[in-house]
Amino acid sequence: MIQVESATRIYGSLTAVDDVSFSVERDEIVGFVGPNGAGKSTVLKMLSTFILPTSGRVVVDGLDVVEQPLEVRRRIGYLAGDTPLYQEMRVDRFLRFVGTARGLRGDYLHERFAATVEVCGLESVLLKRVNECSTGFRQRLGLATAMIHDPPILLLDEPTHGFDPLQVLAFRDLLRSLRPQRAILFSTHIIADVEAISDRVLIIHQGRLLGSGPVAAMAEAAGVPGAGLEELFAHLVSHVSHGHG
């Protein structure tokens, strides 16, 4: 459902993403891991049509992001690292506003609103203004805005930011429940989140993809059989830093 082919994004003299290729299929959760500034958010912004690739090809659900950006946006739910929320609006009104903007109407809007509120655990803050909510609840609301139109593809940038440990566990269960019939790509620098729920992992550093696949297979290929993701990540980054990549 997601195909990225030799995607590159250049800002002036900075190459933020350098010749990256990968895919995400239906019924799959893929974790995108790398340090801050590695290029994760830039890739997600290209997939969401927020920015366009300088070169290469990015295809979402069979649609080219350059040629058919509006159709792409209808098929994705995108949680940005800095999701804009109207701070003075009440949570319930804001979520309904987003649903309406997404084209939902009548009974279907009501159904999707109720289902999303339940899934994201927003019942206790519905009558609060957004700026009265904790960071964790604002993040849940951002996730709800990405999900309210029931998209087949979810792109989530640092989705557990601001969550306490119990909220993190609940989020992992939520993603597992959403996997059927969807392609889910989420970025993070929290290794435990990736190891807990990902079918496959993408490792990015300095704009380049260092590895892609199940952790065990990548560790074997990298010459560190049996390594966990944290050890594998450190090995691959060290390999590049010392000029071997």
Side-chain angles (χ1 to χ4, degrees):
M1 297 187 80
I2 294 173
Q3 296 288 334
V4 178
E5 302 169 2
S6 300
T8 296
R9 175 68 195 194
I10 299 173
Y11 297 98
S13 60
L14 172 67
T15 301
V17 173
D18 189 3
D19 194 28
V20 166
S21 299
F22 66 89
S23 65
V24 182
E25 304 302 330
R26 191 184 302 274
D27 302 316
E28 188 173 40
I29 299 174
V30 174
F32 199 17
V33 65
N36 292 331
K40 304 184 301 295
S41 294
T42 301
V43 171
L44 289 173
K45 286 177 180 178
M46 287 192 288
L47 285 165
S48 68
T49 77
F50 186 77
I51 60 175
L52 297 177
T54 305
S55 62
R57 191 161 184 255
V58 178
V59 177
V60 176
D61 203 16
L63 302 166
D64 189 291
V65 299
V66 175
E67 297 173 359
Q68 297 164 290
L70 291 178
E71 288 300 316
V72 169
R73 291 172 199 170
R74 291 187 179 101
R75 288 164 168 77
I76 65 169
Y78 174 46
L79 175 65
D82 53 352
T83 299
L85 304 172
Y86 291 149
Q87 298 294 324
E88 296 299 322
M89 286 186 75
R90 228 168 58 182
V91 169
D92 60 340
R93 291 172 179 166
F94 177 70
L95 188 55
R96 285 195 179 94
F97 164 75
V98 172
T100 301
R102 279 287 189 177
L104 309 184
R105 298 289 186 273
D107 289 344
Y108 188 58
L109 172 59
H110 179 74
E111 290 169 12
R112 287 302 308 156
F113 174 85
T116 305
V117 165
E118 181 179 0
V119 164
C120 294
L122 292 171
E123 297 92 339
S124 65
V125 297
L126 283 180
L127 301 184
K128 289 186 176 182
R129 291 189 304 181
V130 172
N131 61 10
E132 295 173 334
C133 297
S134 67
T135 300
F137 273 113
R138 288 198 298 271
Q139 191 73 350
R140 290 195 207 188
L141 179 57
L143 182 60
T145 66
M147 291 172 47
I148 191 165
H149 56 301
D150 199 21
I153 296 166
L154 287 175
L155 307 171
L156 310 176
D157 195 359
E158 301 286 355
T160 58
H161 173 71
F163 281 5
D164 63 35
L166 289 177
Q167 290 172 331
V168 169
L169 294 176
F171 171 77
R172 293 175 185 173
D173 289 339
L174 169 60
L175 276 201
R176 292 185 190 103
S177 73
L178 293 172
R179 177 197 277 117
Q181 299 302 308
R182 287 185 178 86
I184 301 174
L185 174 63
F186 77 99
S187 77
T188 185
H189 58 274
I190 302 172
I191 298 293
D193 284 347
V194 179
E195 286 187 310
I197 55 176
S198 299
D199 299 300
R200 288 191 296 116
V201 178
L202 307 172
I203 297 176
I204 192 170
H205 180 59
Q206 296 178 349
R208 295 189 65 87
L209 202 62
L210 304 186
S212 172
V215 172
M218 282 195 289
E220 186 77 29
V224 283
L229 180 55
E230 188 172 74
E231 183 182 348
L232 172 64
F233 177 76
H235 173 81
L236 292 174
V237 168
S238 174
H239 204 61
V240 170
S241 299
H242 288 88
H244 302 298

